[in-house]
Amino acid sequence: MLILSPSMTFVAMAGIVFAAGFVSILHGPFLALLGSVGGFLLPALISTGKPNGWLLFLYLAALVGGSLHVARLRPWLWLGWIALAGSVAWSLLWIDMPRSIAPVEPWALFLVVVLAAFLEITPLIGRAFVTDDAVLPWWRNPQPLAFAAGIAVALLSFALVRIDDYRTTGLVVLALVTALLTFAARRHRPMEWLSVVGAVLTVHVQPGARRTE
């Protein structure tokens, strides 16, 4: 009897999760909820012995992108909130792991990709960025989701800089996050103040505070 390795099992189950997400477009929100929540729980349910950051965060980035895409096609903004909560939760878990088994590089790339996805796709959800906000009830307005994603990733990137001890990876991520926030603020008028978040983030990072070895 052939038994799949943990990594192959993870890939197979991930395929099922993504299939469920896209089938939910035709079959309703319950399947979308099941696929989204199950998707973020999946990596915690399958042990591969040693954390594989690149596989984990590649999977999570694809899951976030898929969730936002489904939310754009259907009036299910809550998928975006689940995606944001899952992204933050896995980031905090990665922060808590020893750096010997949980390097910052895959997480750093994940933060940049996820922020770009939220800032690019969220304005396409609903009509909040092209018409008067008053036409949308608060639970269907995607602006708070975009703001929350920008602030969450800004804070996580600040934590990354500190964890990386002000080395190149952390500072590059900080610069990219600031640039994305500024670009989104210029592109979408309701998001203008995100540029302030980027500015505050930059000011509070002091390379001179790097710890001595």
Side-chain angles (χ1 to χ4, degrees), residues 101-122:
I101 63 172
V104 299
E105 288 79 9
W107 175 44
L109 180 61
F110 171 74
L111 290 180
V112 175
V113 171
V114 164
L115 178 61
F118 271 99
L119 296 181
E120 181 66 24
I121 299 177
T122 303

Side-chain angles (χ1 to χ4, degrees), residues 34-194:
L34 186 64
S36 182
V37 174
F40 282 104
L41 292 177
L42 175 61
L45 300 177
I46 300 178
S47 173
T48 59
K50 181 180 179 181
N52 185 331
W54 293 108
L55 179 61
L56 171 65
F57 287 110
L58 176 62
Y59 164 77
L60 291 176
L63 183 58
V64 170
S67 297
L68 291 175
H69 180 66
V70 173
R72 185 175 70 87
L73 297 177
R74 291 290 183 267
W76 303 335
L77 184 61
W78 43 267
L79 280 175
W81 287 105
I82 292 175
L84 178 58
S87 300
V88 172
W90 276 107
S91 293
L92 294 178
L93 288 172
W94 199 254
I95 289 174
D96 194 49
M97 293 182 183
R99 298 282 73 82
S100 58
I101 63 172
V104 299
E105 288 79 9
W107 175 44
L109 180 61
F110 171 74
L111 290 180
V112 175
V113 171
V114 164
L115 178 61
F118 271 99
L119 296 181
E120 181 66 24
I121 299 177
T122 303
L124 302 178
I125 299 173
R127 302 165 57 195
F129 289 92
V130 294
T131 62
D132 187 357
D133 296 343
V135 302
L136 285 176
W138 64 268
W139 63 87
R140 290 183 56 199
N141 191 336
Q143 289 187 25
L145 176 60
F147 297 152
I151 293 172
V153 174
L155 292 174
L156 289 171
S157 65
F158 178 75
L160 171 61
V161 171
R162 300 293 297 271
I163 292 170
D164 197 41
D165 201 14
Y166 298 90
R167 294 187 177 91
T168 302
T169 299
L171 295 176
V172 168
V173 169
L174 178 76
L176 291 174
V177 167
T178 303
L180 286 171
L181 293 173
T182 303
F183 178 75
R186 290 179 60 86
R187 186 177 181 185
H188 303 291
R189 188 171 182 180
M191 299 167 66
E192 285 180 341
W193 70 277
L194 281 179

